[in-house]
Amino acid sequence: MNESLHIADTDLTLYAMGALPAAEMETARAHVQVCAHCKEELRQIELALAAYAQTTPEVTPPAGAKQRFMARLRETEMPALPAAKIMEKKPSLLERWFGSPRFSLPLAAALALLLIAVCYDDMRHRAALGPLFDEVRRGRVDSAKLNQIMELLTSQQVQRVALHETPSVTPPPEARVVYAGHNGKLLLTAQNLHLLPAGKVYELWILQPNGGKPLPAGTFEPDSSGNAAMILADEPENVAAAGFAVTIEDTGGSETPTSPIVLSGH
Amino acid sequence: MDDAELLEAVAQGNQDAMAAVFDRYSRIVYCIALRVLREPALAEDVMQEVLLMVWKRPQSFVAQRGNLAAWLSVVTRNRAIDVLRKRSPLEPIDEMPLPDPRNMALASEQGWMLDKVRAALAELPAEQQGPLELAYFQGLSHTEIAQKTGSPLGTVKTRIRAGLMTIRKAMDA
């Protein structure tokens, strides 16, 4: 191991995995504690390893695992830690105001919205979720739906498809679909859509793997900024999707596409 | 409830919130433990131990607001490797740093990113995939991997590193 300047990348990778011999592990540990460069490199490696671990196909724990866990949890004493210490600050005036029963119901949605908005601040795809925030902000998404949205966004059992216009213009219209074929739940966010004349809507289609007739998956209209969303649309269960497409149809939607595809993705 | 709200509730001893954490993360924790240990009973033990740590020390997550899924994945893998090699934990489990300082609600971005990583791994040549799998999920040292695969030590190190760089590139794409 090169100790002269920085730890070699190959050794730092092995260190992150705990795969260096014991003596070299100690040397690397000591170096990382005092070297900002290697500490940052190690952080990047750990992020990649965490992603690698999370690519493992999900397996449902054995039957009764939750009951056994909850039984053990009830036997496990939590260290006494007052809530105030956990929060590490006194509640603000706003928090006390929101904490009253009168505001308890919208509080969860408001906090979720705030949290999501703040945390997406540095994201490249921040705009992609804009339409979703709008729906939450308008009160069209309750806390139960927020739970379902979080599950859908984090599940491995979904398809994630980005739909683009061809040829593209700047800024190009685009849409993202998250689709769980097994239970028919679908989430669509779109931005930069062209505004439509009165009496027209965008319609989403599920393209079937066998080349069969596209299945209508719901209609949506952009707001004045060109954003749109379909939140937890319920499609038929167990329908496989080879891709998705969007056409422009008459208000109310159509059973079959009647105009050229404006967005598509596979 | 998102993760931050759940953990706030857990920190106040709310067992229902902990049950919700179990529902949300037990599958990923269990599958990583099972991938390492290949023994359902041992994997369940590790899953319980890791999730109980969330119950005992939720304030550390609340304060740091890291990526809970990533933290659980790393901690689970490390603990499972310890069990596999029957050794004491290399690091106290609750002192593992959260690998991602960003807010845990990057759920959507995370899903897209993991899809890209899966696709990149599927394209990874077997000679890179093998050593990475052996090092990370079987806990073999590079010396053991060299012996097992018949490859020179330096080659093993390079291939593990190359596999990891493929993952990093996919994350940044």
Side-chain angles (χ1 to χ4, degrees):
Chain A
M1 189 166 59
N2 176 12
E3 297 170 37
S4 58
L5 200 59
H6 296 300
I7 302 173
D9 290 345
T10 48
D11 287 332
L12 205 53
T13 303
L14 293 171
Y15 170 72
M17 295 183 186
L20 284 176
E24 291 188 36
M25 284 292 289
E26 283 310 311
T27 307
R29 192 192 309 274
H31 178 85
V32 165
Q33 282 174 353
V34 297
C35 175
H37 171 84
C38 288
K39 187 179 275 186
E40 174 56 23
E41 180 63 15
L42 179 63
R43 195 183 76 81
Q44 295 296 332
I45 291 170
E46 285 174 340
L47 276 175
L49 290 175
Y52 182 41
Q54 289 175 84
T55 60
T56 303
E58 285 188 358
V59 179
T60 304
K66 185 175 180 183
Q67 288 72 21
R68 290 189 287 278
F69 173 75
M70 293 307 292
R72 203 170 152 191
L73 180 142
R74 283 187 282 273
E75 294 165 4
T76 306
E77 229 175 277
M78 284 183 72
L81 201 70
K85 186 173 177 185
I86 292 162
M87 295 300 291
E88 290 179 347
K89 65 182 179 70
K90 290 180 180 176
S92 66
L93 179 64
L94 194 63
E95 287 165 337
R96 289 201 297 274
W97 186 63
F98 271 129
S100 71
R102 192 152 65 101
F103 294 98
S104 58
L105 281 178
L107 181 61
L111 280 178
L113 176 65
L114 180 66
L115 180 65
I116 292 169
V118 168
C119 74
Y120 274 94
D121 194 47
D122 61 347
M123 283 177 44
R124 279 169 303 174
H125 300 299
R126 174 181 160 188
L129 288 172
L132 188 58
F133 301 155
D134 292 341
E135 292 295 308
V136 175
R137 196 178 294 121
R138 289 175 192 139
R140 292 181 191 166
V141 180
D142 58 23
S143 58
K145 270 194 171 178
L146 273 174
N147 278 346
Q148 290 184 52
I149 291 169
M150 283 297 286
E151 282 175 22
L152 196 60
L153 290 173
T154 55
S155 173
Q156 285 190 19
Q157 314 298 322
V158 298
Q159 293 169 262
R160 293 182 178 81
V161 183
L163 282 58
H164 301 286
E165 184 183 56
T166 306
S168 64
V169 293
T170 305
E174 64 171 356
R176 288 183 170 212
V177 171
V178 180
Y179 174 59
H182 62 282
N183 63 12
K185 295 290 181 197
L186 185 146
L187 192 66
L188 173 143
T189 57
Q191 48 277 319
N192 308 323
L193 294 176
H194 301 301
L195 302 186
L196 296 175
K200 293 290 183 183
V201 292
Y202 286 102
E203 184 158 7
L204 179 70
W205 303 93
I206 297 174
L207 306 178
Q208 299 193 76
N210 55 12
K213 181 184 154 193
L215 300 175
T219 62
F220 54 96
E221 294 177 71
D223 61 18
S224 57
S225 304
N227 296 327
M230 283 169 52
I231 307 295
L232 294 179
D234 284 310
E235 311 299 341
E237 293 182 7
N238 298 314
V239 172
F244 296 87
V246 174
T247 63
I248 297 170
E249 305 293 342
D250 290 335
T251 299
S254 172
E255 283 305 303
T256 54
T258 64
S259 70
I261 291 172
V262 293
L263 293 169
S264 63
H266 296 271
Chain B
M1 259 192 221
D2 61 37
D3 286 349
E5 291 170 306
L6 268 184
L7 290 173
E8 290 280 4
V10 167
Q12 292 171 42
N14 184 328
Q15 293 188 4
D16 290 340
M18 195 58 224
V21 171
F22 183 96
D23 290 341
R24 195 170 290 177
Y25 291 112
S26 61
R27 278 173 300 172
I28 186 69
V29 169
Y30 178 73
C31 74
I32 292 170
L34 187 63
R35 185 166 178 181
V36 172
L37 296 164
R38 301 168 190 225
E39 168 61 54
L42 289 176
E44 186 177 335
D45 284 348
V46 168
M47 177 186 76
Q48 285 203 3
E49 186 181 343
V50 170
L51 291 175
L52 275 174
M53 191 52 62
V54 178
W55 174 247
K56 289 177 187 169
R57 299 288 303 274
Q59 63 275 14
S60 56
F61 309 101
V62 174
Q64 294 189 53
R65 291 190 132 189
N67 181 325
L68 185 56
W71 186 91
L72 288 171
S73 301
V74 172
V75 168
T76 302
R77 177 269 174 188
N78 290 354
R79 188 68 197 111
I81 292 291
D82 289 339
V83 171
L84 187 70
R85 310 201 85 170
K86 295 186 172 54
R87 67 188 182 197
S88 302
L90 284 174
E91 295 187 52
I93 203 165
D94 55 337
E95 289 179 14
M96 275 289 302
L98 288 174
D100 190 343
R102 295 176 302 173
N103 194 288
M104 64 186 68
L106 294 166
S108 173
E109 189 70 4
Q110 189 81 354
W112 287 84
M113 183 271 286
L114 289 177
D115 272 3
K116 287 188 285 184
V117 172
R118 283 189 197 97
L121 285 171
E123 299 289 318
L124 203 62
E127 63 265 22
Q128 285 179 18
Q129 216 168 114
L132 187 61
E133 166 87 21
L134 290 170
Y136 196 66
F137 286 111
Q138 295 189 29
L140 298 188
S141 69
H142 58 302
T143 313
E144 291 167 322
I145 296 169
Q147 286 167 353
K148 194 178 176 91
T149 60
S151 303
L153 211 55
T155 304
V156 169
K157 284 186 177 184
T158 306
R159 285 176 175 168
I160 291 172
R161 175 70 185 167
L164 199 71
M165 287 309 294
T166 301
I167 293 172
R168 286 174 66 171
K169 279 181 192 159
M171 292 168 75
D172 293 337

